[in-house]
Amino acid sequence: MAHGELSESEFRDPPLAARPSALWSWMNGHVDHGQITHELEEMKAKGMRGAIIWDIGVLIDPEKIIPAGPAFLGPESLASIHHAMDEAERLGLELGLFASSSWNAGGDWIEAEDGSKALRWSEVKAEGPSRFSGVLPLPEGIVAEKREVAVVAVREGEPDRIRLDDRLGAEGTLEWEVPEGSWRILRFVSGNTGERLNCPSENSDGRVIDHLSREATDAHFKHMLDALARGRDGYGPLKVLMLDSYEVRPVTDWTPDFVEEFTERYGYDPVPWLPVLAGVTVGEGDLGDRFLHDYRKLVSDLLVEDHFARARELLHERGLLLLAEGGHGGHARVDPLKALGAADIPMGEFWNHRKNWVTKEAASAAHIYGKTLVNAESFTGWQHWQDGPATYKRLFDIALCAGLNQVSFHTFAHQPPGSGLPGVAYHAGEHFNVNQSWWDVAGPMLADMSRSCHLLQQGQFVADVAVYYGDNAPNLVPPRRIAPTVKPRWGEGYCLHCGKPEPVDLSSLGYGHDYDYVNEEVILERMRVEDGRIVLPDGMNYRLLVLPDREAISPAVLRKIGALVEAGATVVGPKPERSNSLSGYPECDAGVREGAGRIWGDCDGETVKRHRFGKGEVVWNVPLDEVLAGMKVRPDFEVEDFDNSGREIDYIHRETAVEDIYLVANTTLEPQRFAARFRVQADRVPSFWRAEDGTVAPCFHYEVGDGFVRMPLDLAPASSIFVVFAEGAARDHCVQIEGPDGGIEITGLEGAELKARVREGGTYRFKTAQGRNGEMVVGDVPPDRGLTGPWTLSFPPDRGAPASVELAKLIDWTSSEDPGVRYFSGTATYQTVVPLTAADLSTPGPIFLDLGEVKEVARVSSTRAWQGVF
């Protein structure tokens, strides 16, 4: 049955794009074809999308358990990859492949001219007036492909700079008449960094490419794509190549044509300013900082254009897509939104019991660049085999509420014969694979993830605010939340992930208004105004544009902000005072002051906090929630009767043309009962879509107000529910219930009669939307009955435990005095008899079995044995 654009059948059995994948680590490149087939068949059986092949080295293997496999993309390696492709195609699965052995891009096919490069320098001092005759030493760290860039002399304490390139002789000799003063002479040379792949399989080491070079990107990807296509008709089930987080070690990035690119884009020669990169003061005031801004921005632009965007272009030529972690994990040098926007599928990451959460950043990039999928390296960490579905569920819901809608487990280790139990594993990650003790019952967890991701791939994200984080590079989008077991290391105003200052203060926004971060490119090329809303080409729209609290701004962005406000947009932020670039200085600053004066007028953030400009308005120093309230924009989601300052009741909202899709998550470890308000149209009727079992049920207890729907929700610990509002005729429903403490969970309504599951007896009075009143008298609820035992605890053979033990009462087997029981790891079976009377069997309604606290997975089965006469 379809609900507008949503389909119940697709919800129950989601398409491949919604199903989880995994980083399929082929440790040391050592694989077995039979096991490859087995693991793919198991992925299919459990409901996965497939896997991303990751040829990876071994970081921790002191006893050398894992043999060295063949070189990545050599004949044997290709045979294994092709076997996996053939089997995945047979099974209807999708594959991806890391774009190198380990990370980042590179391999043994990369020649020195395409290797990673840096600008380095040496320095000598000279006192003038005098004659300098000597050798300027070659900078340390130059390993290959040396190129002279410049020789610049700087007089200490003065802005004077003299270029001496034409005086540099062979072997670094310099003859120079030194003017009066103390001089620092710097020789700038570019060359290879010598950086290698981070953790390649044993026979796959190679250079990391020059990520600022289009030619290097071409050399790398064309080699990979040609090798993968060798002897085959296309790429079959191979759909994506993946670039991991950018973890090229920090250097002063350079590429051979850097000076020419810089001069063309910024309109001035960067060479006289290169001493700034060496920590030397050049020029007056903030001019050196302006040059650093321009230098870092060009590094970002070249990395995005000539690596991420070029890789995507090359992949598209072969019918493949780019999956990339381009954000601020690792050692990013980029405008992360621009980098992620250059990929087909933006990818973040979230960790278990760790602060590393970069999901909101990938989600913002997807929303503002018109992408449907938001992927993440999921559940990374060092918990090894300690956690399972209960822990994952909580993290998963938090990540979903940040925008995740496609899962890639980190990691699923390949298990060649002889790996034993629990098998080989990459040093980090939740070791989710066929050797997992609860693998056989992993299907329901994966189905829950698939259904959740499917619903959150529909329609578009709903946000009230677009947050401009400036045009600085590198930059970051702070996470909304991190793993709840981790106490933030830094105080308010600092990114929970990395500790850097948050680029924009959103503390006054309030919980119920969601947001996306936006960058310069999106403002300049994708924003327009319709009916007072800021609109992007793919339909995303926002009520506010919020600026960072800075004096400096890109002149181009300021001009576009003026056009947006004049067309009817509302912009919140301080009046800019100057440019942030050295390009066009000093005229650029005068231009900013003039433009900002027109847009902000007399608004100073103190005595005057608002100014109309054209059809729109700028606002300065007014809390964001207050600005939205003044625009009659109420919170999109509100929680009553619960202190939700920590977002423990979390949510995300997407909408289609005819439906509103809310995910509401209880991310605490306690059951929570509360009332929720949803900002939806009055003609949309709610229903509950339960990802855990694929069922859809009508909602019969809610109130319709002016621009909102209010309903009670009762969520178990670490659980969630989808509330979908669709156009249609509402049946009579309950709007008010009064009764004993404990309340009821509404499961149906026929006319004026309620069918309910009750927690305690008593009289319940109710009122329906059509004005009907009634009451329901509930008798005493039967008391709980404990299962006292005895219990039989059975173990699988050949695992060091006895076949079975008898227990007088139910205990955790790790508390047993028998070492074979106490130290057993795996799946065991508890069995007991539950005596039921004839009255039990004749009483209407279900019988509930309370398992107490289960860690981590339980499968419950029963058989009925008739004994005696009831």
Side-chain angles (χ1 to χ4, degrees):
M1 181 175 118
H3 294 251
E5 296 185 6
L6 298 185
S7 161
E8 284 191 40
S9 61
E10 279 198 343
F11 177 60
R12 285 191 297 271
D13 186 18
L16 214 56
R19 296 178 180 274
S21 183
L23 308 188
W24 194 11
S25 49
W26 291 9
M27 306 295 296
N28 253 352
H30 170 63
V31 298
D32 176 80
H33 287 200
Q35 184 68 8
I36 286 174
T37 295
H38 172 66
E39 289 173 0
L40 287 170
E41 289 175 342
E42 285 295 304
M43 293 178 197
K44 174 73 172 182
K46 298 301 183 292
M48 295 180 66
R49 181 170 78 256
I52 302 169
I53 298 171
W54 189 17
D55 186 276
I56 185 70
V58 179
L59 285 173
I60 304 173
D61 185 14
E63 298 180 10
K64 301 297 181 184
I65 294 172
I66 304 173
F72 181 56
L73 294 188
E76 292 180 62
S77 170
L78 283 172
S80 297
I81 295 170
H82 288 161
H83 174 75
M85 291 166 63
D86 291 339
E87 292 296 83
E89 189 160 38
R90 174 178 67 85
L91 294 165
L93 299 176
E94 291 183 359
L95 290 180
L97 178 69
F98 268 68
S100 62
S101 178
S102 74
W103 73 101
N104 287 95
D108 62 5
W109 52 87
I110 298 299
E111 302 295 339
E113 63 265 24
D114 291 323
S116 177
K117 295 177 176 62
L119 182 70
R120 303 188 187 276
W121 52 86
S122 64
E123 178 182 333
V124 296
K125 295 185 177 181
E127 294 288 333
S130 65
R131 178 174 181 78
F132 180 90
S133 179
V135 175
L136 302 182
L138 191 67
E140 294 182 1
I142 298 296
V143 297
E145 292 298 301
K146 175 178 76 70
R147 297 190 185 201
E148 298 290 344
V149 175
V151 177
V152 182
V154 181
R155 180 156 35 198
E156 294 189 42
E158 301 288 342
D160 299 339
R161 304 179 295 289
I162 299 176
R163 291 192 60 174
L164 303 173
D165 308 16
D166 57 350
R167 300 173 184 270
L168 188 69
E171 306 301 325
T173 60
L174 177 68
E175 302 288 334
W176 180 44
E177 294 294 334
V178 184
E180 183 176 355
S182 298
W183 293 83
R184 302 171 68 175
I185 306 171
L186 295 104
R187 178 187 180 187
F188 291 92
V189 180
S190 73
N192 283 29
T193 64
E195 179 146 10
R196 317 290 288 186
L197 295 169
N198 274 274
C199 180
S201 55
E202 194 163 323
N203 293 308
S204 306
D205 188 26
R207 295 183 180 90
V208 167
I209 69 167
D210 176 356
H211 288 84
L212 279 60
S213 165
R214 180 185 179 95
E215 293 74 20
T217 298
D218 282 6
H220 176 66
F221 278 92
K222 287 180 178 178
H223 175 90
M224 287 197 67
L225 293 168
D226 288 346
L228 291 166
R230 197 169 298 142
R232 301 181 68 83
D233 182 17
Y235 299 94
L238 184 65
K239 303 300 182 183
V240 301
L241 261 60
M242 176 181 160
L243 291 170
D244 203 353
S245 55
Y246 191 77
E247 296 182 23
V248 177
R249 285 183 283 278
V251 294
T252 304
D253 296 290
W254 202 257
T255 199
D257 60 352
F258 193 91
V259 171
E260 292 78 9
E261 285 284 350
F262 190 102
T263 304
E264 181 178 343
R265 298 184 190 216
Y266 290 96
Y268 69 95
D269 183 2
V271 171
W273 297 90
L274 293 182
V276 173
L277 301 176
V280 178
T281 299
V282 176
E284 299 177 343
D286 67 347
L287 299 187
D289 290 337
R290 292 175 184 241
F291 166 72
L292 284 176
H293 169 273
D294 295 344
Y295 163 78
R296 291 166 180 159
K297 190 173 178 182
L298 181 58
V299 168
S300 170
D301 286 344
L302 291 178
L303 209 161
V304 172
E305 295 164 15
D306 292 334
H307 182 55
F308 290 109
R310 179 55 178 164
R312 179 186 176 196
E313 182 180 350
L314 293 169
L315 292 173
H316 283 195
E317 291 174 1
R318 310 288 186 108
L320 301 174
L321 300 177
L322 177 63
L323 169 67
E325 288 189 49
H328 83 284
H331 304 299
R333 278 84 142 157
V334 293
D335 167 349
L337 293 174
K338 188 174 183 179
L340 288 161
D344 294 294
I345 306 173
M347 188 177 194
E349 57 184 303
F350 65 95
W351 289 50
N352 184 12
H353 293 291
R354 295 279 167 169
K355 64 179 179 60
N356 309 67
W357 281 65
V358 199
T359 307
K360 183 64 174 177
E361 189 172 79
S364 285
H367 302 155
I368 65 178
Y369 280 97
K371 320 285 183 180
T372 297
L373 301 178
V374 181
N375 201 305
E377 172 191 309
S378 305
F379 310 109
T380 319
W382 280 280
Q383 289 298 103
H384 302 298
W385 294 272
Q386 297 180 68
D387 293 331
T391 298
Y392 298 169
K393 174 62 176 173
R394 193 180 184 202
L395 299 174
F396 177 63
D397 282 341
I398 294 171
L400 290 178
C401 292
L404 174 80
N405 63 19
Q406 193 179 61
V407 170
S408 293
F409 273 93
H410 186 296
T411 56
F412 188 116
H414 175 65
Q415 305 292 329
S419 297
L421 293 175
V424 298
Y426 185 60
H427 79 116
E430 305 305 314
H431 306 315
F432 178 70
N433 58 63
V434 295
N435 279 7
Q436 181 64 258
S437 61
W438 44 269
W439 172 257
D440 285 344
V441 291
M445 178 190 76
L446 297 171
D448 179 281
M449 291 179 174
S450 302
R451 296 183 187 115
S452 297
C453 288
H454 173 65
L455 286 187
L456 294 178
Q457 290 174 10
Q458 309 309 304
Q460 289 186 315
F461 175 59
V462 176
D464 293 324
V465 179
V467 184
Y468 176 48
Y469 68 3
D471 72 335
N472 298 336
N475 215 327
L476 63 93
V477 174
R480 295 163 75 251
R481 300 176 65 189
I482 59 175
T485 54
V486 177
K487 183 178 181 180
R489 300 184 187 179
W490 302 281
E492 187 175 344
Y494 293 88
C495 174
L496 298 171
H497 167 74
C498 67
K500 296 177 182 176
E502 294 181 345
V504 184
D505 180 9
L506 296 180
S507 59
S508 67
L509 181 58
Y511 167 77
H513 298 286
D514 220 330
Y515 58 91
D516 278 324
Y517 272 75
V518 298
N519 61 354
E520 180 184 36
E521 182 177 57
V522 166
I523 289 177
L524 295 180
E525 299 182 11
R526 294 176 61 81
M527 278 190 176
R528 57 188 171 83
V529 178
E530 288 184 3
D531 299 325
R533 292 178 181 264
I534 298 165
V535 180
L536 302 182
D538 308 287
M540 278 299 305
N541 62 91
Y542 310 92
R543 302 303 299 268
L544 295 181
L545 174 62
V546 179
L547 307 180
D549 188 11
R550 298 174 188 157
E551 291 184 352
I553 197 170
S554 157
V557 168
L558 178 64
R559 289 191 292 271
K560 183 60 178 283
I561 287 173
L564 293 172
V565 175
E566 198 165 20
T570 300
V571 174
V572 181
K575 180 193 293 185
E577 299 290 338
R578 60 177 176 82
S579 170
N580 46 19
S581 171
L582 197 55
S583 179
Y585 179 82
E587 291 80 7
C588 58
D589 284 6
V592 166
R593 287 191 293 271
E594 188 277 331
R598 288 188 303 107
I599 301 166
W600 268 258
D602 61 351
C603 181
D604 60 5
E606 296 295 335
T607 58
V608 179
K609 298 185 178 183
R610 297 175 181 268
H611 178 72
R612 299 290 302 180
F613 180 67
K615 298 179 181 178
E617 183 180 38
V618 290
V619 182
W620 183 4
N621 201 23
V622 177
L624 296 175
D625 57 354
E626 187 176 317
V627 176
L628 288 164
M631 300 170 69
K632 310 300 182 187
V633 180
R634 67 177 304 136
D636 187 30
F637 178 76
E638 297 175 272
V639 175
E640 300 177 1
D641 308 320
F642 185 86
D643 177 7
N644 204 33
S645 55
R647 294 183 186 266
E648 291 175 313
I649 303 300
D650 216 337
Y651 87 102
I652 190 169
H653 178 193
R654 293 182 73 92
E655 63 179 353
T656 70
V658 294
E659 291 138 337
D660 288 274
I661 305 166
Y662 284 86
L663 172 68
V664 182
N666 171 20
T667 65
T668 76
L669 297 180
E670 302 293 333
Q672 301 294 348
R673 304 182 69 224
F674 55 91
R677 286 176 178 250
F678 303 85
R679 188 181 67 198
V680 294
Q681 300 174 32
D683 63 345
R684 295 195 171 180
V685 179
S687 58
F688 295 125
W689 295 54
R690 296 185 173 92
E692 65 268 23
D693 58 10
T695 59
V696 176
C699 172
F700 290 113
H701 185 190
Y702 62 95
E703 303 171 62
V704 178
D706 182 13
F708 70 90
V709 171
R710 179 183 183 274
M711 68 177 63
L713 291 176
D714 189 344
L715 295 180
S719 70
S720 57
I721 187 86
F722 281 94
V723 186
V724 176
F725 297 84
E727 293 179 354
R731 296 173 60 189
D732 193 16
H733 58 274
C734 184
V735 296
Q736 183 178 350
I737 301 177
E738 295 179 356
D741 291 341
I744 60 177
E745 177 186 319
I746 304 302
T747 58
L749 180 70
E750 296 178 2
E753 286 188 31
L754 289 173
K755 294 180 179 178
R757 175 162 63 90
V758 300
R759 286 194 171 88
E760 61 180 76
T763 300
Y764 294 84
R765 295 179 178 86
F766 57 86
K767 180 179 180 181
T768 76
Q770 295 183 1
R772 298 172 181 169
N773 296 290
E775 66 178 33
M776 178 175 64
V777 179
V778 178
D780 293 336
V781 178
D784 292 343
R785 272 189 281 165
L787 301 181
T788 58
W791 293 82
T792 300
L793 176 57
S794 305
F795 298 92
D798 304 321
R799 296 288 299 276
S804 65
V805 293
E806 297 299 318
L807 303 174
K809 62 178 181 179
L810 187 63
I811 65 167
D812 178 343
W813 76 62
T814 62
S815 64
S816 170
E817 295 182 357
D818 183 337
V821 174
R822 183 165 67 251
Y823 299 117
F824 173 78
S825 178
T827 301
T829 302
Y830 290 91
Q831 186 175 10
T832 193
V833 174
V834 181
L836 297 175
T837 66
D840 293 328
L841 297 175
S842 63
T843 300
I847 297 174
F848 293 94
L849 176 63
D850 184 352
L851 298 178
E853 186 174 2
V854 177
K855 288 192 175 181
E856 281 286 334
V857 185
R859 174 192 283 156
V860 179
S861 60
S862 64
T863 58
R864 176 175 290 180
W866 299 98
Q867 297 181 358
V869 177
F870 285 53

